[in-house]
Amino acid sequence: MQTQTHEPMLTQQEQALIPIAAFTASGNLTSLSSSLHIGLDAGLTISEVREVLVQMYAYTGFPRSLNALGALMAVVNERKQQGLVDVEGISADSLCEPQSSLDIGTENQTQLVGQPVTGALFDFAPAIDHYLKAHLFGDIFARDILSWKQRELATIAALANMQGVNSQLQAHYGISLNNGITVEQLHQFTDLIRQHCGDDIADNAQTVLSGVLGE
């Protein structure tokens, strides 16, 4: 079980994750490259940024994730040539628990959401339920490079900058509130989305958030 912390505002590193995930989702590699520089300057390790970009494939698809990883590789090499020293960071611990990815993922998903996840959609398409539990919440969310709070910040940033996924954004706002992100930090999140992605994207993100909060 991950320990939840409730800081009054998002840290500089947490703030830096937001445009990285958002521009990965939209495929804006120019803005992504600038955000990667800012994130590394803010103290994110290379492994933390790389982990965000790997996770993004589950939400944005392999093409966006692979392009973003290529951009990170180019930025890291560029910074090395400039004499900048970025911290590599930790490697993920292997899953040594005597459990399957499905068992681990089911436990993680239940903890993240606050209750077991069931529904007609998953009865209709049980394969997607299996993949969500075993791969996303098992193989990916069990990796300890990022906290669940960091993973949820990256997730809502990506979803906010994608069209047609408001129901998923709504769900992940709820998951965020269950995993160490406060109401104040979510309002700060929409402000940062406005700063990086513009009014239209931010207005939609704020509307969805207001619905979740009953504002």
Side-chain angles (χ1 to χ4, degrees):
M1 179 179 295
Q2 298 208 0
T3 302
Q4 296 182 18
T5 58
H6 297 279
E7 299 296 332
M9 300 298 282
L10 297 171
T11 67
Q12 289 297 314
Q13 291 84 2
E14 289 167 344
Q15 292 180 49
L17 290 175
I18 292 168
I20 289 173
F23 292 130
T24 297
S26 66
N28 185 337
L29 296 182
T30 299
S31 295
L32 173 61
S33 294
S34 297
S35 297
L36 291 171
H37 279 287
I38 292 170
L40 292 169
D41 287 339
L44 288 171
T45 67
I46 295 171
S47 63
E48 286 173 332
V49 178
R50 185 167 53 223
E51 188 73 9
V52 168
L53 303 184
V54 169
Q55 177 185 321
M56 286 298 96
Y57 100 81
Y59 297 97
T60 69
F62 273 115
R64 297 287 199 220
S65 177
L66 291 169
N67 287 345
L69 287 165
L72 174 61
M73 187 166 58
V75 164
V76 169
N77 289 335
E78 177 185 342
R79 291 169 67 87
K80 285 181 180 178
Q81 293 174 1
Q82 294 172 349
L84 298 174
V85 179
D86 296 308
V87 178
E88 176 62 34
I90 64 172
S91 299
D93 286 342
S94 60
L95 299 179
C96 57
E97 302 173 28
Q99 292 176 283
S100 69
S101 294
L102 179 60
D103 290 337
I104 294 169
T106 300
E107 291 179 5
N108 286 348
Q109 185 189 51
T110 300
Q111 184 182 337
L112 279 156
V113 176
Q115 62 185 20
V117 176
T118 60
L121 177 64
F122 301 128
D123 294 334
F124 178 73
I128 200 68
D129 185 40
H130 178 93
Y131 295 149
L132 280 169
K133 287 180 168 67
H135 186 51
L136 176 58
F137 294 112
D139 294 334
I140 296 178
F141 267 70
R143 289 164 61 86
D144 59 356
I145 293 177
L146 298 173
S147 69
W148 285 355
K149 179 182 181 182
Q150 290 173 308
R151 290 190 184 280
E152 281 305 310
L153 278 173
T155 299
I156 58 176
L159 294 172
N161 207 26
M162 298 168 65
Q163 294 185 347
V165 294
N166 278 359
S167 60
Q168 287 79 18
L169 178 58
Q170 178 182 22
H172 278 279
Y173 276 147
I175 293 172
S176 297
L177 290 166
N178 195 42
N179 288 278
I181 302 178
T182 66
V183 171
E184 292 77 12
Q185 288 171 345
L186 285 178
H187 283 301
Q188 184 185 8
F189 164 80
T190 59
D191 289 341
L192 289 166
I193 287 293
R194 188 176 304 280
Q195 173 186 333
H196 294 291
C197 302
D199 289 339
D200 290 344
I201 300 298
D203 287 346
N204 179 69
Q206 181 59 57
T207 296
V208 176
L209 177 60
S210 295
V212 170
L213 300 178
E215 296 176 340

PDB file of all heavy atoms in Angstrom, residues 29 32 62-72:
ATOM      1  N   LEU A  29       5.621  17.445 -30.366  1.00  0.00           N
ATOM      2  CA  LEU A  29       6.982  17.104 -29.961  1.00  0.00           C
ATOM      3  C   LEU A  29       7.843  18.328 -29.690  1.00  0.00           C
ATOM      4  O   LEU A  29       8.766  18.268 -28.876  1.00  0.00           O
ATOM      5  CB  LEU A  29       7.635  16.223 -31.032  1.00  0.00           C
ATOM      6  CG  LEU A  29       6.978  14.851 -31.242  1.00  0.00           C
ATOM      7  CD1 LEU A  29       7.743  14.062 -32.300  1.00  0.00           C
ATOM      8  CD2 LEU A  29       6.907  14.072 -29.937  1.00  0.00           C
ATOM      9  N   LEU A  32       6.839  19.328 -26.285  1.00  0.00           N
ATOM     10  CA  LEU A  32       7.298  18.256 -25.398  1.00  0.00           C
ATOM     11  C   LEU A  32       8.785  18.392 -25.108  1.00  0.00           C
ATOM     12  O   LEU A  32       9.212  18.284 -23.955  1.00  0.00           O
ATOM     13  CB  LEU A  32       7.000  16.889 -26.009  1.00  0.00           C
ATOM     14  CG  LEU A  32       7.582  15.688 -25.259  1.00  0.00           C
ATOM     15  CD1 LEU A  32       7.029  15.604 -23.847  1.00  0.00           C
ATOM     16  CD2 LEU A  32       7.321  14.396 -26.023  1.00  0.00           C
ATOM     17  N   PHE A  62       0.958   3.264 -28.491  1.00  0.00           N
ATOM     18  CA  PHE A  62       2.396   3.095 -28.706  1.00  0.00           C
ATOM     19  C   PHE A  62       3.017   4.206 -29.552  1.00  0.00           C
ATOM     20  O   PHE A  62       4.122   4.676 -29.238  1.00  0.00           O
ATOM     21  CB  PHE A  62       2.672   1.737 -29.358  1.00  0.00           C
ATOM     22  CG  PHE A  62       2.829   0.613 -28.387  1.00  0.00           C
ATOM     23  CD1 PHE A  62       1.918  -0.429 -28.367  1.00  0.00           C
ATOM     24  CD2 PHE A  62       3.886   0.580 -27.487  1.00  0.00           C
ATOM     25  CE1 PHE A  62       2.054  -1.490 -27.473  1.00  0.00           C
ATOM     26  CE2 PHE A  62       4.029  -0.468 -26.583  1.00  0.00           C
ATOM     27  CZ  PHE A  62       3.118  -1.510 -26.585  1.00  0.00           C
ATOM     28  N   PRO A  63       2.382   4.668 -30.652  1.00  0.00           N
ATOM     29  CA  PRO A  63       3.056   5.685 -31.471  1.00  0.00           C
ATOM     30  C   PRO A  63       3.417   6.944 -30.692  1.00  0.00           C
ATOM     31  O   PRO A  63       4.547   7.451 -30.808  1.00  0.00           O
ATOM     32  CB  PRO A  63       2.029   5.973 -32.574  1.00  0.00           C
ATOM     33  CG  PRO A  63       1.258   4.698 -32.708  1.00  0.00           C
ATOM     34  CD  PRO A  63       1.137   4.190 -31.303  1.00  0.00           C
ATOM     35  N   ARG A  64       2.471   7.482 -29.903  1.00  0.00           N
ATOM     36  CA  ARG A  64       2.771   8.689 -29.123  1.00  0.00           C
ATOM     37  C   ARG A  64       3.870   8.414 -28.100  1.00  0.00           C
ATOM     38  O   ARG A  64       4.780   9.226 -27.898  1.00  0.00           O
ATOM     39  CB  ARG A  64       1.514   9.167 -28.392  1.00  0.00           C
ATOM     40  CG  ARG A  64       0.365   9.585 -29.290  1.00  0.00           C
ATOM     41  CD  ARG A  64       0.625  10.908 -29.963  1.00  0.00           C
ATOM     42  NE  ARG A  64      -0.594  11.513 -30.459  1.00  0.00           N
ATOM     43  CZ  ARG A  64      -0.706  12.143 -31.603  1.00  0.00           C
ATOM     44  NH1 ARG A  64       0.331  12.248 -32.404  1.00  0.00           N
ATOM     45  NH2 ARG A  64      -1.849  12.684 -31.973  1.00  0.00           N
ATOM     46  N   SER A  65       3.789   7.272 -27.423  1.00  0.00           N
ATOM     47  CA  SER A  65       4.787   6.931 -26.409  1.00  0.00           C
ATOM     48  C   SER A  65       6.167   6.764 -27.029  1.00  0.00           C
ATOM     49  O   SER A  65       7.164   7.294 -26.503  1.00  0.00           O
ATOM     50  CB  SER A  65       4.363   5.649 -25.692  1.00  0.00           C
ATOM     51  OG  SER A  65       5.338   5.245 -24.751  1.00  0.00           O
ATOM     52  N   LEU A  66       6.247   6.059 -28.121  1.00  0.00           N
ATOM     53  CA  LEU A  66       7.546   5.849 -28.777  1.00  0.00           C
ATOM     54  C   LEU A  66       8.138   7.163 -29.279  1.00  0.00           C
ATOM     55  O   LEU A  66       9.349   7.404 -29.141  1.00  0.00           O
ATOM     56  CB  LEU A  66       7.386   4.863 -29.930  1.00  0.00           C
ATOM     57  CG  LEU A  66       7.088   3.412 -29.534  1.00  0.00           C
ATOM     58  CD1 LEU A  66       6.686   2.600 -30.753  1.00  0.00           C
ATOM     59  CD2 LEU A  66       8.276   2.787 -28.833  1.00  0.00           C
ATOM     60  N   ASN A  67       7.306   8.023 -29.855  1.00  0.00           N
ATOM     61  CA  ASN A  67       7.794   9.333 -30.313  1.00  0.00           C
ATOM     62  C   ASN A  67       8.307  10.159 -29.140  1.00  0.00           C
ATOM     63  O   ASN A  67       9.336  10.846 -29.247  1.00  0.00           O
ATOM     64  CB  ASN A  67       6.687  10.090 -31.033  1.00  0.00           C
ATOM     65  CG  ASN A  67       6.379   9.513 -32.402  1.00  0.00           C
ATOM     66  OD1 ASN A  67       7.142   8.731 -32.941  1.00  0.00           O
ATOM     67  ND2 ASN A  67       5.239   9.898 -32.966  1.00  0.00           N
ATOM     68  N   ALA A  68       7.590  10.095 -28.016  1.00  0.00           N
ATOM     69  CA  ALA A  68       8.003  10.858 -26.843  1.00  0.00           C
ATOM     70  C   ALA A  68       9.310  10.322 -26.264  1.00  0.00           C
ATOM     71  O   ALA A  68      10.186  11.096 -25.856  1.00  0.00           O
ATOM     72  CB  ALA A  68       6.901  10.817 -25.787  1.00  0.00           C
ATOM     73  N   LEU A  69       9.459   9.005 -26.243  1.00  0.00           N
ATOM     74  CA  LEU A  69      10.711   8.425 -25.760  1.00  0.00           C
ATOM     75  C   LEU A  69      11.874   8.815 -26.669  1.00  0.00           C
ATOM     76  O   LEU A  69      12.987   9.076 -26.187  1.00  0.00           O
ATOM     77  CB  LEU A  69      10.577   6.909 -25.671  1.00  0.00           C
ATOM     78  CG  LEU A  69       9.708   6.408 -24.510  1.00  0.00           C
ATOM     79  CD1 LEU A  69       9.327   4.951 -24.723  1.00  0.00           C
ATOM     80  CD2 LEU A  69      10.431   6.588 -23.182  1.00  0.00           C
ATOM     81  N   GLY A  70      11.622   8.876 -27.973  1.00  0.00           N
ATOM     82  CA  GLY A  70      12.656   9.349 -28.894  1.00  0.00           C
ATOM     83  C   GLY A  70      13.041  10.799 -28.618  1.00  0.00           C
ATOM     84  O   GLY A  70      14.219  11.158 -28.676  1.00  0.00           O
ATOM     85  N   ALA A  71      12.027  11.619 -28.293  1.00  0.00           N
ATOM     86  CA  ALA A  71      12.300  13.021 -27.957  1.00  0.00           C
ATOM     87  C   ALA A  71      13.124  13.121 -26.678  1.00  0.00           C
ATOM     88  O   ALA A  71      14.050  13.938 -26.587  1.00  0.00           O
ATOM     89  CB  ALA A  71      10.982  13.783 -27.805  1.00  0.00           C
ATOM     90  N   LEU A  72      12.790  12.302 -25.677  1.00  0.00           N
ATOM     91  CA  LEU A  72      13.565  12.310 -24.425  1.00  0.00           C
ATOM     92  C   LEU A  72      15.004  11.892 -24.685  1.00  0.00           C
ATOM     93  O   LEU A  72      15.946  12.515 -24.157  1.00  0.00           O
ATOM     94  CB  LEU A  72      12.921  11.379 -23.410  1.00  0.00           C
ATOM     95  CG  LEU A  72      13.713  11.177 -22.103  1.00  0.00           C
ATOM     96  CD1 LEU A  72      13.890  12.491 -21.361  1.00  0.00           C
ATOM     97  CD2 LEU A  72      13.022  10.144 -21.212  1.00  0.00           C
TER      98      LEU A  72
END
